[in-house]
């Protein structure tokens, strides 16, 4: 019960941070950090894919409601939740059944950076492709994806270094 309460606190905190502060930051009109995906990345390794996808969908839907983006964040967060397990298996030698919470402490710095980088690249690519819905200016789209991934990674690494608390 305490674990669920902590999850809900992190959920509310990250959503509020995203919609009130980070969604207003468009660095040079390109980079937008998406720190709320940290919630999906930090779920316990033994959580089922279905449960994670439900959490991802609800998280994205709540961000969509406050950001006036009809379903874009929900689709991208659900896609990230679906591919989180395979991404984690790509970067770690540990068995997923061992039960660990992904982070620098459990995965090591380089594995966590690779895991977070691949996850944020997947999320930003899906979200910005849905948002743009055009390949008319592919270099601008690529620049938006790259800068958003870098700003998201910076936020995730800051959150990981500041909050050694369990999510």
């Amino acid at each position: 019960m305490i674990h669920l309460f902590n999850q809900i606190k992190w959920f509310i905190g990250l959503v509020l941070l995203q919609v009130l502060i980070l969604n207003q930051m468009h660095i040079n009109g390109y980079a937008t950090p998406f720190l709320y995906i940290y919630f999906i990345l930090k779920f316990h390794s033994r959580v089922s894919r279905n449960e994670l996808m439900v959490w991802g969908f609800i998280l994205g839907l709540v961000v969509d409601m406050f950001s006036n983006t009809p379903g874009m964040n929900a689709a991208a967060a659900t896609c990230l939740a679906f591919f989180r397990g395979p991404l984690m298996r790509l970067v770690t030698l540990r068995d997923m059944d061992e039960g660990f919470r992904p982070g620098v402490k459990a995965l090591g710095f380089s594995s966590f950076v690779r895991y977070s980088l691949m996850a944020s690249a997947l999320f930003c690519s899906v979200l910005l492709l849905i948002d743009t819905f055009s390949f008319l200016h592919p270099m601008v789209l690529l620049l938006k994806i790259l800068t958003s991934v870098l700003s998201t990674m910076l936020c995730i690494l800051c959150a990981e270094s500041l909050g050694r608390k369990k999510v």
Side-chain angles (χ1 to χ4, degrees):
M1 188 66 177
I2 293 173
H3 178 69
L4 181 63
F5 183 68
N6 285 337
Q7 289 283 96
I8 292 172
K9 280 193 325 188
W10 271 96
F11 182 94
I12 292 170
L14 286 173
V15 166
L16 287 176
L17 182 65
Q18 183 67 43
V19 299
L20 295 177
I21 297 171
L22 296 177
N23 278 355
Q24 311 310 319
M25 295 174 48
H26 299 288
I27 304 165
N28 281 343
Y30 292 102
T32 304
F34 299 105
L35 180 60
Y36 73 96
I37 67 170
Y38 185 66
F39 181 78
I40 297 170
L41 298 179
K42 290 294 285 187
F43 259 90
H44 203 275
S45 65
R46 281 187 278 176
V47 70
S48 73
R49 182 181 273 182
N50 292 336
E51 181 183 349
L52 190 62
M53 287 176 62
V54 168
W55 275 105
F57 178 76
I58 293 170
L59 178 67
L61 192 62
V62 170
V63 171
D64 280 331
M65 288 189 315
F66 287 110
S67 302
N68 198 23
T69 53
M72 296 185 325
N73 288 291
T78 305
C79 181
L80 174 62
F82 181 79
F83 286 108
R84 189 195 74 126
L87 287 176
M88 201 179 313
R89 280 191 287 280
L90 280 174
V91 298
T92 185
L93 298 173
R94 297 177 72 171
D95 187 19
M96 298 288 280
D97 294 332
E98 282 181 37
F100 63 94
R101 189 167 308 281
V104 172
K105 192 178 214 180
L107 297 175
F109 184 75
S110 64
S111 292
F112 181 73
V113 167
R114 283 186 305 210
Y115 165 63
S116 300
L117 185 64
M118 288 189 299
S120 60
L122 173 70
F123 176 82
C124 291
S125 297
V126 170
L127 181 67
L128 293 172
L129 280 170
I130 292 171
D131 183 36
T132 305
F133 207 67
S134 168
F135 289 110
L136 190 60
H137 302 288
M139 293 310 292
V140 172
L141 176 63
L142 185 61
L143 184 62
K144 282 184 178 183
I145 291 171
L146 289 176
T147 55
S148 292
V149 167
L150 291 176
S151 62
T152 301
M153 279 301 300
L154 180 66
C155 288
I156 287 173
L157 291 175
C158 287
E160 184 68 19
S161 68
L162 289 177
R164 295 283 183 192
K165 290 176 113 180
K166 292 183 179 177
V167 177

